[in-house]
Amino acid sequence: PIVNEEEMVAAAQRNVQMVIKHIFEIPDTTVTDDGVLVTLPKRSIDPSLRMPREKPLPAKKPKTRWQKFAEAKGIKKKKRSQNGYG
């Protein structure tokens, strides 16, 4: 566990250096006048490197009484015309 702010800063610095080192180990790098450009892979090869979701997936909502009734009777939703005459 990190005890004080100095240890936290040192741990953050080590982690950032490790990430940057891994980024520049990617084979698709080009050197330009502006600096070094790295093309990141479209998909991660290692599934453990996937970013987690901020929130869990939403739960399936249960069907309402009307939806259950309409499904049982075979009722389909009809679109109404825009002009109001049909």
Side-chain angles (χ1 to χ4, degrees):
I2 297 175
V3 178
N4 58 20
E5 189 174 338
E6 293 171 357
E7 290 180 19
M8 185 169 51
V9 169
Q13 182 178 6
R14 281 193 309 272
N15 290 335
V16 169
Q17 286 176 345
M18 183 179 66
V19 168
I20 291 174
K21 178 182 158 221
H22 285 301
I23 287 175
F24 284 110
E25 286 177 355
I26 294 174
D28 194 9
T29 59
T30 53
V31 179
T32 64
D33 294 335
D34 296 328
V36 179
L37 300 177
V38 178
T39 304
L40 298 175
K42 292 185 181 180
R43 262 191 292 179
S44 175
I45 297 169
D46 186 5
S48 67
L49 297 176
R50 290 185 46 190
M51 294 295 290
R53 287 179 56 99
E54 179 182 357
K55 297 178 183 172
L57 289 173
K60 287 268 189 179
K61 293 182 180 177
K63 290 186 178 181
T64 62
R65 287 178 59 195
W66 167 253
Q67 289 172 332
K68 291 177 188 176
F69 174 78
E71 189 176 278
K73 294 290 184 176
I75 299 172
K76 303 276 185 198
K77 189 173 182 179
K78 296 180 184 176
K79 286 195 171 189
R80 297 183 183 194
S81 64
Q82 292 290 339
N83 62 5
Y85 295 108

